[in-house]
Amino acid sequence: MSSLNEILSFNDSFVKFKQYEPYITSKFPDKKIVILTCMDTRLVELLPKAMNMRNGDVKIVKSAGAQVSHPFGAIMRSILVAVYELKADEVYIIGHHDCGMSAIDPEVMIEHMIERGINSDIVNTVKYSGIDLVEWLRGFGDVSTSVLKSVDIIRNHPLMPKATPVHGLIMDPSTGKLDLLSDGNKYLSDNSITTSTSTE
């Protein structure tokens, strides 16, 4: 049985026996938080549990490496939607140790694409169209630097409310321990920016 068939079979039972009922909530995060974190499999359940988050508490946006790679890409748009339309008033960027993105070799990944059937002519066309494919696929060397770079992009984004705390943290994917890299509240205080939290 393929994974799709297994999922659909389980889902039929899940709905039939109303196993969804404990998860019923609204689209607005109860704790008014949006988290950008990595898509790493070890964080799927560990991260919310290690932060005492339950279904309905937070918005979670995921990307490889918890990176905001472009200030006007889909990740940044998701964060802005959470802040402006879904009542989030704090942003957490949470990277983790032993991240797969820290070991990505773009040249090797391109070789893997060709091995999996992507024609090398297509790869060359992309390169000749002005896309730096190697740079686009590149990971990062240091997770702390990467997290702080994303924090900086969000804090200084022209469309982000200046009084929104943006925090940077790193998680140990074995234990769930969080290490604070940047306290958004302290940053706002040090820069004399007044926080305005929603009272709704």
Side-chain angles (χ1 to χ4, degrees), residues 130-190:
I131 304 297
D132 187 340
L133 196 54
V134 169
E135 192 56 38
W136 184 62
L137 294 172
R138 188 177 304 285
F140 54 81
D142 177 67
V143 65
S144 298
T145 302
S146 178
V147 167
L148 291 174
K149 181 179 176 185
S150 291
V151 166
D152 188 59
I153 288 171
I154 297 168
R155 276 184 186 155
N156 294 295
H157 197 281
L159 301 180
M160 176 61 67
K162 297 305 174 199
T164 303
V166 181
H167 312 289
L169 302 97
I170 299 178
M171 175 170 275
D172 182 329
S174 300
T175 66
K177 183 180 187 306
L178 288 168
D179 292 312
L180 181 64
L181 293 178
S182 182
D183 180 337
N185 296 312
K186 185 174 185 318
Y187 173 85
L188 295 177
S189 174
D190 290 350

Side-chain angles (χ1 to χ4, degrees), residues 18-130:
K18 299 186 178 182
Q19 291 174 290
Y20 54 82
E21 288 182 343
Y23 306 102
I24 294 173
T25 185
S26 80
K27 63 183 177 180
F28 300 105
D30 293 337
K31 295 192 176 181
K32 300 187 177 183
I33 291 170
V34 57
I35 296 171
L36 169 60
T37 192
C38 185
M39 64 183 190
D40 192 288
T41 54
R42 294 168 290 181
L43 305 187
V44 172
E45 291 189 56
L46 178 65
L47 184 136
K49 290 191 183 303
M51 295 180 71
N52 192 31
M53 301 294 175
R54 296 181 180 161
N55 201 54
D57 281 348
V58 297
K59 291 291 180 185
I60 299 182
V61 180
K62 295 195 174 193
S63 72
Q67 292 180 294
V68 179
S69 55
H70 193 287
F72 288 94
I75 297 298
M76 190 66 221
R77 180 181 61 194
S78 296
I79 292 168
L80 290 170
V81 167
V83 169
Y84 284 107
E85 300 301 318
L86 300 172
K87 302 182 182 178
D89 55 25
E90 269 187 280
V91 181
Y92 286 70
I93 311 303
I94 305 177
H96 67 94
H97 297 293
D98 188 34
C99 183
M101 278 300 285
S102 65
I104 291 289
D105 181 332
E107 299 285 1
V108 172
M109 189 170 173
I110 291 168
E111 287 175 18
H112 292 161
M113 290 177 182
I114 293 167
E115 289 168 6
R116 296 278 295 270
I118 303 300
N119 191 301
S120 57
D121 289 340
I122 292 173
V123 172
N124 289 331
T125 299
V126 170
K127 289 179 182 177
Y128 299 142
S129 297

